[in-house]
Amino acid sequence: MVKFWTGAATALGALTLSAITATAAEDCAERGALDMLYCDANGDLVADTPTDPAKLSNPDTLVFAYTPVEDPAVYADIWEPFIAHLEETTGKDVQFFAVQSNSAEVEAMRSGRLHVAGFSTGPTPFAVNLAGAVPFAIMGAADGQFGYKLQVFTQADSDIKEVKDLAGRRVAHTSPTSNSGNQAPRALFPGLGVEPDKDYEVVYSGSHDQSMLGVVAGDYDAAPVASEVVERMAERGLYDTADVRKIWESDPFPTTSFNVAHNLDPELTAKIKEAFFTFDFEGTKLGDEFEGVSKFIPITYKDQWAVIRQIQASNGVEYTPQGLAGN
C-alpha cells in the first residue's frame, strides 16, 4: 500500500519563499539562472551538492512525487511497485506526495520536504532553478528512445483542418508553464499561421486531460496537448478516439524528468539512482500504464532540456516564482 504524504500542500499559484531565502547557499562565483540559494561551479546548469557536510540531507523517510498531470490517486496506485523497489534499494521508507499543482511540487522540493520527484517537461527548468532539482532520468524504450509530441486535436466533425484554421476560435491551453500545453504552441504556432491570444482566444484548462475532455464535450474548438497523456487517456477509455481528429503534431520533446534534491547525501543519491536504473517495468502497473516504456534512461538537464530552454527563452519566460505561477 502506497503511503500518502500531504505536508507540502500549498495555495496554487505562488511560492512561499521568505523563510527559505534567509538560508542562502554558500557564496559562489557562478550560478547562472539558478536562484541565490544555489551554486553551479561546474557549469552543468544544475545546483551543486553542498560541500559542507552539515548542509547535506539524509532523511529517514523519502518523499516522492509525480507530476500533477491527471488524477493523483490513480498515479499513487500505478507507482506502488516502483516505490516498493525504491524502499528496498535505499533502505528508506518512501511516501507518495499527491501534488495538486506545479507550484506546490516546486515549493515542496525547495523547502526540503520533497526529495525525489517527476517534473513535467515545461516546469522542469523552474524546479531546477527555483528548487535545486537535479534531473537524472527519463522514461524510455528498450532501444534508448524517449520523448513525446505536441499534438493538436479538434472535434471529428470540425471544419478546422490545420493550425492556421484556429484563427477566431476558442482554444484550450493547459497551464502557463506547460511545454506542449502552452509554451511550445506560443513559440511554434506563429510559424504555422496563428499567434495565440492574438489570433485565437486562449483558455487555460488546468491540465492536458481537461483540455482533451473539453474538446470532446465541445467546450473548446481545439487544444494542443501532450501525446503521451492523451494516449493513456484513450487506453483507459476516458474518451472515444472517434470523437476527435488530430490536425498537427510536432517533433518529439523530452518527457517528464526524474529528479533528486541537490542537497541529498551523495551516497543516498547514488542509491536512489540505482533504484531507478535497476527497476524492471515488465509486468508492473507502471509498465502497463506507460506503453512502450521499459526502463529509466540517464539524461542531463544541460543536454536534453536545451530545446525546452530555447522555447521558453523565445517566450520571454523567467525562472521566478511569478513565472511559475503564470503571473
Side-chain angles (χ1 to χ4, degrees), residues 30-35 38-49 124-135 259 262 300-310 319:
E30 300 293 337
R31 58 171 48 93
L34 296 175
D35 185 85
Y38 314 113
C39 291
D40 180 23
N42 61 6
D44 62 358
L45 306 186
V46 298
D48 298 336
T49 303
T124 289
F126 288 91
V128 167
N129 290 291
L130 291 177
V134 180
N259 303 252
H262 81 291
T300 67
Y301 173 72
K302 187 174 186 178
D303 292 338
Q304 275 68 44
W305 255 257
V307 63
I308 305 304
R309 295 194 302 273
Q310 182 180 5
Y319 301 129

Tab-separated table of all heavy atoms in Angstrom, residues 30-35 38-49 124-135 259 262 300-310 319:
chain	number	residue	atom	x	y	z
A	30	GLU	N	29.692	31.434	-9.606
A	30	GLU	CA	28.876	31.029	-10.744
A	30	GLU	C	27.568	30.396	-10.280
A	30	GLU	O	27.571	29.493	-9.447
A	30	GLU	CB	29.635	30.026	-11.622
A	30	GLU	CG	30.950	30.557	-12.193
A	30	GLU	CD	30.746	31.667	-13.200
A	30	GLU	OE1	29.646	31.728	-13.783
A	30	GLU	OE2	31.672	32.462	-13.402
A	31	ARG	N	26.462	30.888	-10.830
A	31	ARG	CA	25.183	30.228	-10.563
A	31	ARG	C	24.241	30.319	-11.759
A	31	ARG	O	23.172	29.729	-11.753
A	31	ARG	CB	24.509	30.775	-9.308
A	31	ARG	CG	24.214	32.254	-9.283
A	31	ARG	CD	23.338	32.609	-8.079
A	31	ARG	NE	23.782	32.057	-6.843
A	31	ARG	CZ	24.571	32.666	-5.968
A	31	ARG	NH1	25.025	33.875	-6.238
A	31	ARG	NH2	24.897	32.095	-4.836
A	32	GLY	N	24.619	31.033	-12.809
A	32	GLY	CA	23.783	31.101	-13.999
A	32	GLY	C	22.393	31.595	-13.676
A	32	GLY	O	22.217	32.614	-13.011
A	33	ALA	N	21.365	30.843	-14.123
A	33	ALA	CA	19.974	31.223	-13.877
A	33	ALA	C	19.456	30.711	-12.543
A	33	ALA	O	18.303	30.962	-12.185
A	33	ALA	CB	19.087	30.680	-15.001
A	34	LEU	N	20.309	30.009	-11.786
A	34	LEU	CA	19.874	29.437	-10.520
A	34	LEU	C	19.547	30.525	-9.502
A	34	LEU	O	20.157	31.590	-9.484
A	34	LEU	CB	20.952	28.525	-9.942
A	34	LEU	CG	21.321	27.276	-10.733
A	34	LEU	CD1	22.483	26.556	-10.066
A	34	LEU	CD2	20.125	26.337	-10.872
A	35	ASP	N	18.609	30.227	-8.618
A	35	ASP	CA	18.267	31.090	-7.509
A	35	ASP	C	19.488	31.302	-6.613
A	35	ASP	O	20.431	30.496	-6.612
A	35	ASP	CB	17.124	30.451	-6.715
A	35	ASP	CG	16.618	31.335	-5.603
A	35	ASP	OD1	15.756	32.188	-5.875
A	35	ASP	OD2	17.078	31.167	-4.450
A	38	TYR	N	21.527	28.620	-4.582
A	38	TYR	CA	22.296	27.536	-5.179
A	38	TYR	C	23.533	28.035	-5.908
A	38	TYR	O	23.604	29.194	-6.324
A	38	TYR	CB	21.413	26.743	-6.149
A	38	TYR	CG	20.062	26.424	-5.573
A	38	TYR	CD1	18.905	27.005	-6.105
A	38	TYR	CD2	19.931	25.571	-4.486
A	38	TYR	CE1	17.663	26.735	-5.563
A	38	TYR	CE2	18.691	25.300	-3.936
A	38	TYR	CZ	17.558	25.885	-4.472
A	38	TYR	OH	16.330	25.632	-3.934
A	39	CYS	N	24.495	27.130	-6.069
A	39	CYS	CA	25.713	27.412	-6.818
A	39	CYS	C	25.837	26.429	-7.986
A	39	CYS	O	25.284	25.329	-7.944
A	39	CYS	CB	26.943	27.258	-5.918
A	39	CYS	SG	27.079	28.521	-4.645
A	40	ASP	N	26.590	26.843	-9.004
A	40	ASP	CA	26.848	25.985	-10.159
A	40	ASP	C	28.305	26.170	-10.602
A	40	ASP	O	28.590	26.709	-11.663
A	40	ASP	CB	25.889	26.298	-11.307
A	40	ASP	CG	26.134	25.422	-12.534
A	40	ASP	OD1	26.704	24.316	-12.371
A	40	ASP	OD2	25.772	25.835	-13.647
A	41	ALA	N	29.213	25.712	-9.777
A	41	ALA	CA	30.636	25.914	-10.037
A	41	ALA	C	31.122	25.149	-11.260
A	41	ALA	O	32.051	25.578	-11.946
A	41	ALA	CB	31.451	25.509	-8.809
A	42	ASN	N	30.486	24.015	-11.565
A	42	ASN	CA	30.959	23.189	-12.686
A	42	ASN	C	30.253	23.482	-14.006
A	42	ASN	O	30.538	22.854	-15.022
A	42	ASN	CB	30.842	21.706	-12.344
A	42	ASN	CG	29.417	21.268	-12.064
A	42	ASN	OD1	28.475	22.049	-12.236
A	42	ASN	ND2	29.241	20.034	-11.618
A	43	GLY	N	29.300	24.416	-14.010
A	43	GLY	CA	28.672	24.846	-15.248
A	43	GLY	C	27.724	23.861	-15.885
A	43	GLY	O	27.429	23.966	-17.076
A	44	ASP	N	27.180	22.909	-15.109
A	44	ASP	CA	26.251	21.935	-15.693
A	44	ASP	C	24.797	22.391	-15.621
A	44	ASP	O	23.877	21.644	-15.944
A	44	ASP	CB	26.414	20.561	-15.038
A	44	ASP	CG	26.091	20.563	-13.544
A	44	ASP	OD1	25.768	21.647	-12.998
A	44	ASP	OD2	26.177	19.490	-12.919
A	45	LEU	N	24.582	23.627	-15.175
A	45	LEU	CA	23.273	24.303	-15.136
A	45	LEU	C	22.359	23.830	-14.017
A	45	LEU	O	21.213	24.282	-13.923
A	45	LEU	CB	22.535	24.192	-16.485
A	45	LEU	CG	23.291	24.667	-17.725
A	45	LEU	CD1	22.362	24.630	-18.942
A	45	LEU	CD2	23.862	26.069	-17.536
A	46	VAL	N	22.833	22.926	-13.166
A	46	VAL	CA	22.036	22.493	-12.011
A	46	VAL	C	22.797	22.797	-10.731
A	46	VAL	O	24.019	23.006	-10.737
A	46	VAL	CB	21.692	20.988	-12.079
A	46	VAL	CG1	20.846	20.682	-13.307
A	46	VAL	CG2	22.941	20.118	-12.044
A	47	ALA	N	22.075	22.814	-9.621
A	47	ALA	CA	22.669	23.165	-8.331
A	47	ALA	C	23.707	22.132	-7.903
A	47	ALA	O	23.492	20.920	-8.017
A	47	ALA	CB	21.581	23.281	-7.279
A	48	ASP	N	24.845	22.637	-7.406
A	48	ASP	CA	25.890	21.752	-6.894
A	48	ASP	C	25.458	21.135	-5.569
A	48	ASP	O	24.703	21.740	-4.790
A	48	ASP	CB	27.185	22.531	-6.660
A	48	ASP	CG	27.754	23.135	-7.928
A	48	ASP	OD1	27.453	22.605	-9.023
A	48	ASP	OD2	28.489	24.140	-7.824
A	49	THR	N	25.981	19.961	-5.280
A	49	THR	CA	25.812	19.364	-3.958
A	49	THR	C	26.614	20.189	-2.954
A	49	THR	O	27.762	20.548	-3.228
A	49	THR	CB	26.325	17.916	-3.948
A	49	THR	OG1	25.629	17.169	-4.948
A	49	THR	CG2	26.121	17.266	-2.592
A	124	THR	N	10.089	21.656	-15.473
A	124	THR	CA	11.403	21.173	-15.053
A	124	THR	C	12.422	22.300	-14.872
A	124	THR	O	13.118	22.344	-13.851
A	124	THR	CB	11.941	20.112	-16.033
A	124	THR	OG1	11.184	18.896	-15.880
A	124	THR	CG2	13.414	19.790	-15.766
A	125	PRO	N	12.549	23.261	-15.819
A	125	PRO	CA	13.518	24.338	-15.590
A	125	PRO	C	13.208	25.181	-14.349
A	125	PRO	O	14.125	25.700	-13.712
A	125	PRO	CB	13.407	25.176	-16.867
A	125	PRO	CG	12.969	24.203	-17.917
A	125	PRO	CD	11.993	23.321	-17.190
A	126	PHE	N	11.933	25.324	-14.005
A	126	PHE	CA	11.580	26.042	-12.785
A	126	PHE	C	12.032	25.247	-11.561
A	126	PHE	O	12.540	25.826	-10.593
A	126	PHE	CB	10.071	26.278	-12.725
A	126	PHE	CG	9.578	27.305	-13.704
A	126	PHE	CD1	9.165	26.938	-14.975
A	126	PHE	CD2	9.547	28.649	-13.363
A	126	PHE	CE1	8.726	27.887	-15.884
A	126	PHE	CE2	9.097	29.604	-14.264
A	126	PHE	CZ	8.693	29.231	-15.533
A	127	ALA	N	11.839	23.941	-11.594
A	127	ALA	CA	12.276	23.097	-10.486
A	127	ALA	C	13.794	23.152	-10.330
A	127	ALA	O	14.321	23.213	-9.218
A	127	ALA	CB	11.814	21.661	-10.709
A	128	VAL	N	14.508	23.138	-11.454
A	128	VAL	CA	15.965	23.204	-11.431
A	128	VAL	C	16.429	24.523	-10.826
A	128	VAL	O	17.281	24.552	-9.927
A	128	VAL	CB	16.532	23.035	-12.854
A	128	VAL	CG1	18.015	23.421	-12.895
A	128	VAL	CG2	16.351	21.594	-13.328
A	129	ASN	N	15.871	25.620	-11.299
A	129	ASN	CA	16.381	26.935	-10.928
A	129	ASN	C	15.822	27.478	-9.621
A	129	ASN	O	16.509	28.235	-8.926
A	129	ASN	CB	16.106	27.928	-12.062
A	129	ASN	CG	16.973	27.647	-13.274
A	129	ASN	OD1	18.175	27.843	-13.241
A	129	ASN	ND2	16.362	27.167	-14.351
A	130	LEU	N	14.597	27.104	-9.266
A	130	LEU	CA	13.990	27.606	-8.038
A	130	LEU	C	14.115	26.644	-6.865
A	130	LEU	O	14.092	27.074	-5.713
A	130	LEU	CB	12.503	27.901	-8.262
A	130	LEU	CG	12.145	29.071	-9.177
A	130	LEU	CD1	10.633	29.152	-9.336
A	130	LEU	CD2	12.705	30.374	-8.629
A	131	ALA	N	14.218	25.354	-7.162
A	131	ALA	CA	14.140	24.359	-6.091
A	131	ALA	C	15.377	23.477	-5.959
A	131	ALA	O	15.407	22.597	-5.114
A	131	ALA	CB	12.901	23.474	-6.295
A	132	GLY	N	16.391	23.691	-6.803
A	132	GLY	CA	17.583	22.863	-6.703
A	132	GLY	C	17.361	21.429	-7.135
A	132	GLY	O	18.079	20.527	-6.700
A	133	ALA	N	16.377	21.199	-7.994
A	133	ALA	CA	16.147	19.848	-8.521
A	133	ALA	C	17.262	19.480	-9.498
A	133	ALA	O	17.733	20.325	-10.255
A	133	ALA	CB	14.795	19.776	-9.224
A	134	VAL	N	17.666	18.230	-9.472
A	134	VAL	CA	18.720	17.745	-10.368
A	134	VAL	C	18.156	16.609	-11.220
A	134	VAL	O	18.020	15.476	-10.748
A	134	VAL	CB	19.948	17.258	-9.579
A	134	VAL	CG1	21.034	16.753	-10.533
A	134	VAL	CG2	20.493	18.373	-8.696
A	135	PRO	N	17.776	16.873	-12.481
A	135	PRO	CA	17.252	15.816	-13.355
A	135	PRO	C	18.340	14.795	-13.683
A	135	PRO	O	19.479	15.175	-13.990
A	135	PRO	CB	16.827	16.579	-14.618
A	135	PRO	CG	16.695	18.013	-14.187
A	135	PRO	CD	17.737	18.192	-13.137
A	259	ASN	N	14.008	13.597	-10.789
A	259	ASN	CA	14.972	14.454	-10.118
A	259	ASN	C	15.219	14.035	-8.682
A	259	ASN	O	14.342	13.476	-8.024
A	259	ASN	CB	14.441	15.889	-10.072
A	259	ASN	CG	14.119	16.477	-11.426
A	259	ASN	OD1	14.811	17.343	-11.912
A	259	ASN	ND2	13.028	16.007	-12.046
A	262	HIS	N	19.081	18.566	-4.684
A	262	HIS	CA	20.531	18.756	-4.828
A	262	HIS	C	21.316	18.499	-3.560
A	262	HIS	O	22.505	18.176	-3.611
A	262	HIS	CB	20.810	20.194	-5.282
A	262	HIS	CG	20.785	21.199	-4.165
A	262	HIS	ND1	19.634	21.545	-3.495
A	262	HIS	CD2	21.792	21.900	-3.575
A	262	HIS	CE1	19.922	22.432	-2.556
A	262	HIS	NE2	21.215	22.669	-2.585
A	300	THR	N	20.758	14.409	-18.867
A	300	THR	CA	21.211	15.592	-18.155
A	300	THR	C	20.312	16.755	-18.535
A	300	THR	O	19.800	16.826	-19.656
A	300	THR	CB	22.669	15.967	-18.489
A	300	THR	OG1	22.757	16.381	-19.861
A	300	THR	CG2	23.603	14.797	-18.227
A	301	TYR	N	20.136	17.662	-17.611
A	301	TYR	CA	19.342	18.862	-17.875
A	301	TYR	C	19.999	19.719	-18.948
A	301	TYR	O	19.324	20.269	-19.815
A	301	TYR	CB	19.184	19.648	-16.573
A	301	TYR	CG	18.535	20.992	-16.736
A	301	TYR	CD1	17.177	21.088	-17.021
A	301	TYR	CD2	19.273	22.168	-16.592
A	301	TYR	CE1	16.565	22.329	-17.159
A	301	TYR	CE2	18.667	23.409	-16.729
A	301	TYR	CZ	17.320	23.483	-17.009
A	301	TYR	OH	16.720	24.711	-17.153
A	302	LYS	N	21.310	19.819	-18.911
A	302	LYS	CA	22.034	20.672	-19.857
A	302	LYS	C	21.787	20.243	-21.290
A	302	LYS	O	21.569	21.080	-22.174
A	302	LYS	CB	23.528	20.645	-19.548
A	302	LYS	CG	24.348	21.617	-20.371
A	302	LYS	CD	25.797	21.651	-19.911
A	302	LYS	CE	26.595	22.723	-20.639
A	302	LYS	NZ	28.003	22.779	-20.143
A	303	ASP	N	21.773	18.937	-21.539
A	303	ASP	CA	21.633	18.435	-22.910
A	303	ASP	C	20.178	18.245	-23.324
A	303	ASP	O	19.708	18.825	-24.306
A	303	ASP	CB	22.390	17.113	-23.071
A	303	ASP	CG	23.900	17.290	-22.980
A	303	ASP	OD1	24.377	18.413	-23.206
A	303	ASP	OD2	24.591	16.311	-22.658
A	304	GLN	N	19.436	17.420	-22.595
A	304	GLN	CA	18.099	17.043	-23.035
A	304	GLN	C	17.069	18.158	-22.903
A	304	GLN	O	16.041	18.130	-23.581
A	304	GLN	CB	17.621	15.787	-22.290
A	304	GLN	CG	18.085	14.481	-22.906
A	304	GLN	CD	19.583	14.262	-22.782
A	304	GLN	OE1	20.152	14.497	-21.718
A	304	GLN	NE2	20.220	13.791	-23.858
A	305	TRP	N	17.326	19.150	-22.056
A	305	TRP	CA	16.358	20.256	-21.902
A	305	TRP	C	16.768	21.507	-22.668
A	305	TRP	O	16.153	22.555	-22.526
A	305	TRP	CB	16.126	20.567	-20.424
A	305	TRP	CG	14.795	20.038	-19.986
A	305	TRP	CD1	13.641	20.743	-19.771
A	305	TRP	CD2	14.453	18.668	-19.774
A	305	TRP	NE1	12.616	19.894	-19.442
A	305	TRP	CE2	13.093	18.612	-19.433
A	305	TRP	CE3	15.170	17.467	-19.830
A	305	TRP	CZ2	12.439	17.423	-19.155
A	305	TRP	CZ3	14.520	16.284	-19.563
A	305	TRP	CH2	13.171	16.272	-19.233
A	306	ALA	N	17.777	21.401	-23.539
A	306	ALA	CA	18.217	22.571	-24.302
A	306	ALA	C	17.099	23.117	-25.179
A	306	ALA	O	16.880	24.338	-25.252
A	306	ALA	CB	19.436	22.213	-25.151
A	307	VAL	N	16.345	22.238	-25.857
A	307	VAL	CA	15.268	22.689	-26.743
A	307	VAL	C	14.149	23.345	-25.939
A	307	VAL	O	13.529	24.310	-26.394
A	307	VAL	CB	14.718	21.514	-27.588
A	307	VAL	CG1	14.088	20.432	-26.716
A	307	VAL	CG2	13.698	22.022	-28.602
A	308	ILE	N	13.897	22.848	-24.730
A	308	ILE	CA	12.843	23.425	-23.893
A	308	ILE	C	13.268	24.810	-23.412
A	308	ILE	O	12.472	25.760	-23.418
A	308	ILE	CB	12.536	22.514	-22.691
A	308	ILE	CG1	12.188	21.093	-23.176
A	308	ILE	CG2	11.408	23.101	-21.844
A	308	ILE	CD1	11.052	21.042	-24.167
A	309	ARG	N	14.526	24.954	-23.014
A	309	ARG	CA	15.019	26.269	-22.594
A	309	ARG	C	14.949	27.259	-23.749
A	309	ARG	O	14.645	28.446	-23.558
A	309	ARG	CB	16.452	26.166	-22.057
A	309	ARG	CG	16.584	25.344	-20.783
A	309	ARG	CD	17.932	25.542	-20.115
A	309	ARG	NE	19.060	25.216	-20.972
A	309	ARG	CZ	19.581	23.995	-21.108
A	309	ARG	NH1	19.049	22.979	-20.431
A	309	ARG	NH2	20.613	23.791	-21.892
A	310	GLN	N	15.205	26.764	-24.972
A	310	GLN	CA	15.135	27.628	-26.152
A	310	GLN	C	13.707	28.114	-26.388
A	310	GLN	O	13.463	29.289	-26.659
A	310	GLN	CB	15.652	26.879	-27.378
A	310	GLN	CG	15.665	27.699	-28.653
A	310	GLN	CD	16.194	26.912	-29.841
A	310	GLN	OE1	16.471	25.718	-29.742
A	310	GLN	NE2	16.337	27.574	-30.966
A	319	TYR	N	12.638	32.376	-14.840
A	319	TYR	CA	12.519	31.325	-13.829
A	319	TYR	C	12.413	31.956	-12.449
A	319	TYR	O	13.352	31.949	-11.641
A	319	TYR	CB	13.683	30.350	-13.939
A	319	TYR	CG	13.751	29.703	-15.318
A	319	TYR	CD1	14.928	29.700	-16.053
A	319	TYR	CD2	12.613	29.110	-15.876
A	319	TYR	CE1	14.969	29.125	-17.308
A	319	TYR	CE2	12.654	28.530	-17.136
A	319	TYR	CZ	13.830	28.544	-17.837
A	319	TYR	OH	13.874	27.979	-19.094
